[in-house]
Amino acid sequence: MITWPDVVIIAPDLTTVPAPAQAALLDAAAIVMSADTWGNRYDTGLKYLAAHLGTLYLTGGLLLAGQVKSETVGKVTREYEVAGAVSGDGLSSTPYGEFYQYLIRTLVKAR
């Protein structure tokens, strides 16, 4: 089972990701991957996809459910971002996403 410290080994800059976000990012990465498809590359793919998502999270390119978009105190207003909103160039926007794409290409060649 991959944990956030496993991700930080390849992406040391992600040590500042809060624990609740760490769990959400690992879950999001696991949802889009299939252990059957990835085989013995599953753990590596999961770490790189989680690192990609973590980098987007820290740079504001990925919004997790529950993040506050705006907040007003007088007459109480709170607005939340849409869960899973992503900006940027997708997987090509981080080195981790680029390596994840490379891993995907190796899966196709391995078949």
Side-chain angles (χ1 to χ4, degrees):
M1 180 175 155
I2 298 299
T3 62
W4 198 254
D6 298 319
V7 175
V8 170
I9 289 171
I10 62 167
D13 51 319
L14 299 181
T15 58
T16 60
V17 174
Q22 294 172 10
L25 293 167
L26 283 169
D27 288 345
I31 286 171
V32 300
M33 295 182 62
S34 164
D36 291 338
T37 301
W38 283 81
N40 64 355
R41 295 179 178 107
Y42 180 81
D43 287 353
T44 302
L46 184 64
K47 286 186 276 190
Y48 277 89
L49 182 54
H52 169 71
L53 296 174
T55 301
L56 292 179
Y57 173 81
L58 286 181
T59 59
L62 177 71
L63 305 170
L64 298 176
Q67 285 187 297
V68 178
K69 180 171 134 181
S70 69
E71 189 171 56
T72 308
V73 176
K75 298 262 184 175
V76 185
T77 302
R78 194 172 246 201
E79 188 176 341
Y80 295 92
E81 294 285 358
V82 177
V86 178
S87 63
D89 297 325
L91 291 171
S92 298
S93 65
T94 72
Y96 310 110
E98 288 179 351
F99 190 72
Y100 180 77
Q101 287 179 311
Y102 166 77
L103 290 172
I104 290 171
R105 288 191 299 275
T106 66
L107 292 177
V108 174
K109 291 178 183 176
R111 290 180 182 232

